mmCIF file of all heavy atoms in Angstrom:
data_model
loop_
_atom_site.group_PDB
_atom_site.id
_atom_site.type_symbol
_atom_site.label_atom_id
_atom_site.label_comp_id
_atom_site.label_asym_id
_atom_site.label_seq_id
_atom_site.Cartn_x
_atom_site.Cartn_y
_atom_site.Cartn_z
ATOM 1 N N LEU B 1407 -68.098 -54.528 44.612
ATOM 2 C CA LEU B 1407 -68.565 -55.804 44.271
ATOM 3 C C LEU B 1407 -68.813 -56.702 45.552
ATOM 4 O O LEU B 1407 -68.037 -56.769 46.457
ATOM 5 C CB LEU B 1407 -67.452 -56.605 43.463
ATOM 6 C CG LEU B 1407 -67.427 -56.462 41.931
ATOM 7 C CD1 LEU B 1407 -66.160 -57.102 41.408
ATOM 8 C CD2 LEU B 1407 -68.630 -57.055 41.355
ATOM 9 N N GLN B 1408 -70.026 -57.330 45.518
ATOM 10 C CA GLN B 1408 -70.391 -58.199 46.616
ATOM 11 C C GLN B 1408 -70.783 -59.571 46.139
ATOM 12 O O GLN B 1408 -71.400 -59.701 45.065
ATOM 13 C CB GLN B 1408 -71.604 -57.539 47.312
ATOM 14 C CG GLN B 1408 -71.455 -56.148 47.893
ATOM 15 C CD GLN B 1408 -72.723 -55.560 48.355
ATOM 16 O OE1 GLN B 1408 -73.549 -56.273 49.031
ATOM 17 N NE2 GLN B 1408 -72.926 -54.285 48.139
ATOM 18 N N LEU B 1409 -70.486 -60.565 46.902
ATOM 19 C CA LEU B 1409 -70.840 -61.898 46.557
ATOM 20 C C LEU B 1409 -72.340 -62.125 46.793
ATOM 21 O O LEU B 1409 -72.911 -61.823 47.830
ATOM 22 C CB LEU B 1409 -70.051 -62.874 47.429
ATOM 23 C CG LEU B 1409 -70.258 -64.417 47.102
ATOM 24 C CD1 LEU B 1409 -69.752 -64.678 45.681
ATOM 25 C CD2 LEU B 1409 -69.664 -65.257 48.151
ATOM 26 N N LEU B 1410 -72.964 -62.568 45.660
ATOM 27 C CA LEU B 1410 -74.360 -62.894 45.744
ATOM 28 C C LEU B 1410 -74.606 -64.320 46.124
ATOM 29 O O LEU B 1410 -75.455 -64.715 46.972
ATOM 30 C CB LEU B 1410 -74.943 -62.577 44.320
ATOM 31 C CG LEU B 1410 -76.424 -62.256 44.224
ATOM 32 C CD1 LEU B 1410 -76.914 -61.151 45.128
ATOM 33 C CD2 LEU B 1410 -76.738 -61.875 42.729
ATOM 34 N N LEU B 1411 -73.868 -65.199 45.439
ATOM 35 C CA LEU B 1411 -73.979 -66.684 45.758
ATOM 36 C C LEU B 1411 -72.739 -67.390 45.078
ATOM 37 O O LEU B 1411 -72.147 -66.728 44.203
ATOM 38 C CB LEU B 1411 -75.303 -67.280 45.329
ATOM 39 C CG LEU B 1411 -75.813 -66.968 43.886
ATOM 40 C CD1 LEU B 1411 -75.067 -67.811 42.885
ATOM 41 C CD2 LEU B 1411 -77.260 -67.240 43.770
ATOM 42 N N LYS B 1412 -72.550 -68.610 45.467
ATOM 43 C CA LYS B 1412 -71.410 -69.409 44.944
ATOM 44 C C LYS B 1412 -71.823 -70.917 44.860
ATOM 45 O O LYS B 1412 -72.686 -71.318 45.744
ATOM 46 C CB LYS B 1412 -70.183 -69.189 45.781
ATOM 47 C CG LYS B 1412 -70.336 -69.668 47.189
ATOM 48 C CD LYS B 1412 -69.062 -69.330 47.982
ATOM 49 C CE LYS B 1412 -69.196 -69.687 49.396
ATOM 50 N NZ LYS B 1412 -68.046 -69.301 50.345
ATOM 51 N N TYR B 1413 -71.166 -71.585 44.003
ATOM 52 C CA TYR B 1413 -71.409 -73.004 43.912
ATOM 53 C C TYR B 1413 -69.966 -73.666 43.876
ATOM 54 O O TYR B 1413 -69.186 -73.339 43.063
ATOM 55 C CB TYR B 1413 -72.150 -73.382 42.571
ATOM 56 C CG TYR B 1413 -72.125 -74.929 42.464
ATOM 57 C CD1 TYR B 1413 -73.113 -75.719 43.205
ATOM 58 C CD2 TYR B 1413 -71.290 -75.499 41.571
ATOM 59 C CE1 TYR B 1413 -73.040 -77.044 42.990
ATOM 60 C CE2 TYR B 1413 -71.274 -76.905 41.432
ATOM 61 C CZ TYR B 1413 -72.203 -77.671 42.223
ATOM 62 O OH TYR B 1413 -72.148 -79.015 42.074
ATOM 63 N N PHE B 1414 -69.805 -74.597 44.791
ATOM 64 C CA PHE B 1414 -68.588 -75.371 44.794
ATOM 65 C C PHE B 1414 -68.834 -76.829 44.470
ATOM 66 O O PHE B 1414 -68.139 -77.449 43.720
ATOM 67 C CB PHE B 1414 -67.877 -75.257 46.191
ATOM 68 C CG PHE B 1414 -67.188 -73.953 46.449
ATOM 69 C CD1 PHE B 1414 -66.644 -73.703 47.696
ATOM 70 C CD2 PHE B 1414 -67.104 -73.006 45.435
ATOM 71 C CE1 PHE B 1414 -65.993 -72.501 47.885
ATOM 72 C CE2 PHE B 1414 -66.387 -71.798 45.694
ATOM 73 C CZ PHE B 1414 -65.912 -71.583 46.951
ATOM 74 N N SER B 1415 -69.903 -77.378 45.144
ATOM 75 C CA SER B 1415 -70.233 -78.801 44.899
ATOM 76 C C SER B 1415 -71.537 -79.143 45.597
ATOM 77 O O SER B 1415 -72.143 -78.175 46.197
ATOM 78 C CB SER B 1415 -69.168 -79.638 45.510
ATOM 79 O OG SER B 1415 -69.063 -79.541 46.881
ATOM 80 N N GLY B 1416 -72.121 -80.216 45.304
ATOM 81 C CA GLY B 1416 -73.337 -80.688 46.017
ATOM 82 C C GLY B 1416 -74.517 -80.187 45.061
ATOM 83 O O GLY B 1416 -74.549 -80.297 43.886
ATOM 84 N N ASP B 1417 -75.609 -79.811 45.815
ATOM 85 C CA ASP B 1417 -76.901 -79.452 45.187
ATOM 86 C C ASP B 1417 -76.641 -78.346 44.102
ATOM 87 O O ASP B 1417 -76.122 -77.262 44.422
ATOM 88 C CB ASP B 1417 -77.879 -78.921 46.207
ATOM 89 C CG ASP B 1417 -79.259 -78.766 45.645
ATOM 90 O OD1 ASP B 1417 -79.446 -78.706 44.404
ATOM 91 O OD2 ASP B 1417 -80.191 -78.535 46.477
ATOM 92 N N PRO B 1418 -76.958 -78.701 42.856
ATOM 93 C CA PRO B 1418 -76.723 -77.622 41.831
ATOM 94 C C PRO B 1418 -77.614 -76.446 41.841
ATOM 95 O O PRO B 1418 -77.350 -75.447 41.139
ATOM 96 C CB PRO B 1418 -76.950 -78.462 40.507
ATOM 97 C CG PRO B 1418 -77.826 -79.574 40.874
ATOM 98 C CD PRO B 1418 -77.588 -79.888 42.284
ATOM 99 N N LEU B 1419 -78.566 -76.492 42.665
ATOM 100 C CA LEU B 1419 -79.474 -75.245 42.856
ATOM 101 C C LEU B 1419 -78.860 -74.529 44.105
ATOM 102 O O LEU B 1419 -79.045 -75.089 45.260
ATOM 103 C CB LEU B 1419 -80.911 -75.720 42.994
ATOM 104 C CG LEU B 1419 -81.883 -74.482 43.060
ATOM 105 C CD1 LEU B 1419 -81.803 -73.629 41.750
ATOM 106 C CD2 LEU B 1419 -83.347 -75.055 43.309
ATOM 107 N N VAL B 1420 -78.397 -73.394 43.910
ATOM 108 C CA VAL B 1420 -77.745 -72.649 44.963
ATOM 109 C C VAL B 1420 -78.611 -71.413 45.376
ATOM 110 O O VAL B 1420 -78.991 -70.629 44.396
ATOM 111 C CB VAL B 1420 -76.327 -72.171 44.576
ATOM 112 C CG1 VAL B 1420 -75.730 -71.477 45.683
ATOM 113 C CG2 VAL B 1420 -75.471 -73.368 44.202
ATOM 114 N N LYS B 1421 -78.843 -71.266 46.600
ATOM 115 C CA LYS B 1421 -79.593 -70.051 47.040
ATOM 116 C C LYS B 1421 -78.733 -69.026 47.624
ATOM 117 O O LYS B 1421 -77.677 -69.381 48.344
ATOM 118 C CB LYS B 1421 -80.632 -70.430 48.146
ATOM 119 C CG LYS B 1421 -81.764 -71.334 47.461
ATOM 120 C CD LYS B 1421 -82.923 -71.469 48.424
ATOM 121 C CE LYS B 1421 -83.981 -72.444 47.764
ATOM 122 N NZ LYS B 1421 -84.430 -71.950 46.438
ATOM 123 N N GLY B 1422 -78.839 -67.838 47.290
ATOM 124 C CA GLY B 1422 -77.986 -66.673 47.747
ATOM 125 C C GLY B 1422 -78.752 -65.689 48.591
ATOM 126 O O GLY B 1422 -79.869 -65.971 49.009
ATOM 127 N N ILE B 1423 -78.131 -64.553 48.644
ATOM 128 C CA ILE B 1423 -78.807 -63.426 49.444
ATOM 129 C C ILE B 1423 -79.942 -62.777 48.622
ATOM 130 O O ILE B 1423 -79.921 -62.872 47.378
ATOM 131 C CB ILE B 1423 -77.721 -62.407 49.926
ATOM 132 C CG1 ILE B 1423 -77.052 -61.737 48.688
ATOM 133 C CG2 ILE B 1423 -76.768 -63.051 50.768
ATOM 134 C CD1 ILE B 1423 -76.185 -60.578 49.109
ATOM 135 N N LYS B 1424 -80.787 -62.116 49.305
ATOM 136 C CA LYS B 1424 -81.848 -61.267 48.686
ATOM 137 C C LYS B 1424 -82.710 -62.039 47.723
ATOM 138 O O LYS B 1424 -83.237 -61.434 46.795
ATOM 139 C CB LYS B 1424 -81.199 -60.068 48.017
ATOM 140 C CG LYS B 1424 -80.351 -59.199 48.995
ATOM 141 C CD LYS B 1424 -79.792 -57.954 48.341
ATOM 142 C CE LYS B 1424 -78.992 -57.223 49.338
ATOM 143 N NZ LYS B 1424 -78.539 -55.881 48.787
ATOM 144 N N GLY B 1425 -82.919 -63.310 48.028
ATOM 145 C CA GLY B 1425 -83.867 -64.084 47.174
ATOM 146 C C GLY B 1425 -83.403 -64.670 45.880
ATOM 147 O O GLY B 1425 -84.121 -65.138 45.112
ATOM 148 N N PHE B 1426 -82.056 -64.409 45.562
ATOM 149 C CA PHE B 1426 -81.477 -64.873 44.343
ATOM 150 C C PHE B 1426 -81.090 -66.329 44.507
ATOM 151 O O PHE B 1426 -80.840 -66.878 45.525
ATOM 152 C CB PHE B 1426 -80.243 -64.042 43.967
ATOM 153 C CG PHE B 1426 -80.596 -62.669 43.499
ATOM 154 C CD1 PHE B 1426 -80.645 -61.573 44.346
ATOM 155 C CD2 PHE B 1426 -80.760 -62.505 42.090
ATOM 156 C CE1 PHE B 1426 -80.909 -60.375 43.900
ATOM 157 C CE2 PHE B 1426 -80.984 -61.198 41.641
ATOM 158 C CZ PHE B 1426 -81.043 -60.157 42.473
ATOM 159 N N GLU B 1427 -81.182 -66.996 43.334
ATOM 160 C CA GLU B 1427 -80.685 -68.399 43.240
ATOM 161 C C GLU B 1427 -80.071 -68.655 41.890
ATOM 162 O O GLU B 1427 -80.285 -67.795 40.973
ATOM 163 C CB GLU B 1427 -81.847 -69.381 43.489
ATOM 164 C CG GLU B 1427 -82.960 -69.340 42.418
ATOM 165 C CD GLU B 1427 -84.039 -70.392 42.626
ATOM 166 O OE1 GLU B 1427 -84.267 -70.727 43.788
ATOM 167 O OE2 GLU B 1427 -84.648 -70.825 41.692
#
Side-chain angles (χ1 to χ4, degrees):
Chain B
L1407 272 172
Q1408 301 171 39
L1409 182 68
L1410 205 52
L1411 49 78
K1412 61 185 179 184
Y1413 173 79
F1414 284 173
S1415 63
D1417 188 345
L1419 185 60
V1420 180
K1421 294 194 184 299
I1423 61 172
K1424 302 185 181 185
F1426 286 91
E1427 65 179 29

